[in-house]
Amino acid sequence: MAQTVRTTYGSISAGDPYIPTGGNGGYTAEHYDLNLSYRVATNRLNATAIITARALMPLDRFSLDFAGLSIEKVLVNGARPTKVTHSSRKLVISLAATIEAGAVFEVVVRYRGAPHPVRSAWGDVGWEELDDGVLVSGQPCGAASWFPCNDHPSDKATYRIEIACESAYTVVSNGVLSSRSSRSGRTSWTFDVREPMATYLATVLIGRYRRRDLADAPVAHSLYFPARLATRVETDFARLTEMIAFFADRFGSYPFASYSVVVTEDELEIPLEAHGLAIFGSNHVDGNHGSDRLIAHELAHQWYGNSLTVARWQDIWLQEGFACYAEWLWEEQRGGRTADALAVLHRGRVAALPRDIVVGDPGPHAMFDDRVYKRGALALHAIRKSLGDEAFFAALRAYTAARRFGQVSTEDFVDFFSEHTGSRAIGGFVARWVQQSALPSL
């Protein structure tokens, strides 16, 4: 009879076919404590990451995602591992003593180097030097460019992020700014993220920014921008307070302690969402409200994507479809085209495109295809028309409250809405709009 061998190696990925090498198994990260010392002038980073994790199985070996920087020291529970292997994307740590299932353990990684983006199927993602500063765009697999992590959205954790750099620069990161101190021409900024956050939503922004606090209600929100763009920024974001209040009414209370918008001196291809933040390029502000649709989209991601995060990338329509539908809701609210009219318009545009993807599982190369956004929004509009506004928005508020700071999936969405509303039609709408390539009628 063959002897059963108990494996004590955590898997080398999360098993997500959209990012086959991303994430790691055998444990869950609970907290990241990141201490970063950065020099803007030379793009040099010296850092220490302290990761608190919980073993999901007995572990003699486990891995972290980490790319492009040099390891100086690794400790696990205060002891040196028996072996550390660092490839282009993975840091593999072997232990002398087994960590038992359920045990909490601490990993310390000291590292340094010149951080840069990592290559992916979606272009370069991660830590990026700007003309005079830094921007981190982590979606979907760029977090490993600046700290060792379990880089998959199914593994959310709390954070403490401390960044020191030259005092001429302002630093913005996720969470609440808990302290700031200056010494010898350098300033250290410390941020605490108290809600579970996906690694791809962690960011650092460094630039010569001016800050303007807009209001404290319905949540404290602020703008960061280059001085030369002050007039355009203040005009384009003048409706932000109203927009936050409107979405809080439709979606439920804003999920985090604050909201910040950063406008970079550089131009960016698209705006970016992060936990408690949105990032726009200088090309996205024109002083004439030309980016209202984009402002609404990125704000909506605080609910759909940042608080409610997909557990697998194939369900990204739940993030992008909701954010796209928020654009339509905002235009309707401001007295522009109704969501009905916008649904007709975009259904016609989608009809002119190839029907060669299923947006509920579009494949990695089509994750950010516009059809995922628009058909996701069309599915939501069809559900809204079926339920009526009162029942639809009540279900949305209940959904964001019940899944707050957690993971979501297509199956979970259908089950929740079906049970909450008593409608047997929800699954059919999702099946027609999201789970097949044929395009239904409105």
Side-chain angles (χ1 to χ4, degrees):
M1 183 175 178
Q3 184 178 7
T4 300
V5 178
R6 184 183 70 162
T7 179
T8 54
Y9 293 166
S11 63
I12 205 73
S13 83
D16 190 330
Y18 280 47
I19 307 180
T21 63
N24 306 274
Y27 67 92
T28 182
E30 295 188 343
H31 182 75
Y32 293 91
D33 190 327
L34 307 179
N35 190 316
L36 314 172
S37 179
Y38 183 69
R39 293 193 178 276
V40 178
T42 56
N43 186 39
R44 297 299 298 179
L45 177 67
N46 287 277
T48 300
I50 304 173
I51 304 157
T52 304
R54 183 180 299 273
L56 302 177
M57 58 180 286
L59 288 176
D60 287 341
R61 187 177 73 185
F62 64 93
S63 58
L64 293 159
D65 297 294
F66 194 49
L69 296 165
S70 299
I71 300 292
E72 290 191 325
K73 188 175 185 179
V74 176
L75 298 174
V76 179
N77 290 337
R80 291 185 179 275
T82 57
K83 185 178 181 181
V84 175
T85 304
H86 189 200
S87 64
S88 61
R89 295 293 179 95
K90 292 287 180 178
L91 176 62
V92 181
I93 300 170
S94 300
L95 309 171
T98 300
I99 299 171
E100 295 302 326
V104 174
F105 62 99
E106 182 183 88
V107 185
V108 177
V109 182
R110 195 168 69 202
Y111 57 99
R112 60 182 172 79
H116 56 80
V118 295
R119 292 184 178 179
S120 77
W122 308 274
D124 291 346
V125 292
W127 186 286
E128 180 181 350
E129 278 189 276
L130 301 177
D131 286 343
D132 189 23
V134 167
L135 176 154
V136 173
S137 171
Q139 191 179 30
C141 56
S145 69
W146 63 288
F147 68 101
C149 57
N150 191 3
D151 196 8
H152 192 267
S154 62
D155 197 33
K156 301 172 78 170
T158 57
Y159 286 71
R160 177 184 175 275
I161 305 173
E162 182 178 349
I163 311 111
C165 71
E166 298 93 326
S167 295
Y169 296 91
T170 296
V171 175
V172 186
S173 188
N174 313 96
V176 175
L177 177 63
S178 57
S179 69
R180 182 177 67 184
S181 60
S182 298
R183 182 180 178 183
S184 302
R186 291 177 63 78
T187 299
S188 179
W189 310 67
T190 302
F191 301 84
D192 290 303
V193 182
R194 295 158 186 163
E195 315 85 6
M197 175 173 74
T199 49
Y200 82 89
L201 295 168
T203 191
V204 172
L205 298 134
I206 301 175
R208 299 179 189 272
Y209 296 126
R210 177 181 294 181
R211 172 176 172 167
R212 182 182 173 193
D213 297 326
L214 294 181
D216 291 328
V219 67
H221 48 289
S222 305
L223 304 175
Y224 294 84
F225 51 89
R228 73 175 183 87
L229 297 177
T231 301
R232 280 191 272 168
V233 168
E234 290 174 8
T235 298
D236 286 353
F237 289 92
R239 298 170 183 161
L240 184 58
T241 303
E242 179 188 353
M243 190 182 289
I244 295 172
F246 172 67
F247 285 167
D249 177 71
R250 293 296 187 270
F251 304 150
S253 60
Y254 179 83
F256 306 122
S258 63
Y259 182 61
S260 296
V261 170
V262 179
V263 180
T264 68
E265 183 71 59
D266 297 52
E267 294 188 358
L268 302 179
E269 183 179 355
I270 56 172
L272 309 165
E273 77 266 19
H275 182 105
L277 291 162
I279 304 142
F280 296 81
S282 58
N283 52 311
H284 297 130
V285 292
D286 61 5
N288 196 33
H289 291 282
S291 290
D292 277 12
R293 176 182 68 82
L294 300 177
I295 295 169
H297 185 105
E298 302 309 327
L299 174 60
H301 272 310
Q302 301 306 317
W303 287 265
Y304 307 107
N306 303 1
S307 178
L308 281 64
T309 308
V310 295
R312 58 192 184 192
W313 283 114
Q314 75 175 62
D315 289 321
I316 195 170
W317 79 271
L318 281 170
Q319 300 182 173
E320 299 302 348
F322 270 105
C324 180
Y325 196 55
E327 300 172 24
W328 302 359
L329 294 175
W330 176 247
E331 183 167 341
E332 185 175 67
Q333 168 70 8
R334 289 292 303 169
R337 292 168 293 185
T338 65
D340 250 341
L342 289 164
V344 171
L345 171 67
H346 289 293
R347 196 266 176 201
R349 290 178 177 174
V350 171
L353 299 172
R355 296 173 198 177
D356 56 0
I357 66 168
V358 173
V359 302
D361 190 3
H365 293 286
M367 272 174 58
F368 303 109
D369 189 291
D370 195 53
R371 290 167 291 180
V372 173
Y373 294 51
K374 298 303 189 295
R375 284 189 62 149
L378 286 164
L380 296 172
H381 189 65
I383 294 170
R384 176 187 175 188
K385 288 176 67 177
S386 171
L387 296 175
D389 280 11
E390 184 176 352
F392 176 72
F393 288 112
L396 280 189
R397 290 188 289 270
Y399 177 56
T400 60
R403 301 296 182 263
R404 192 178 181 92
F405 308 142
Q407 275 83 34
V408 293
S409 67
T410 298
E411 295 82 3
D412 175 69
F413 171 79
V414 171
D415 289 346
F416 185 93
F417 263 64
S418 299
E419 182 177 349
H420 189 272
T421 64
S423 172
R424 297 181 179 179
I426 306 300
F429 287 120
V430 172
R432 289 190 291 277
W433 287 102
V434 173
Q435 295 174 328
Q436 65 179 32
S437 57
L439 186 65
S441 300
L442 286 169

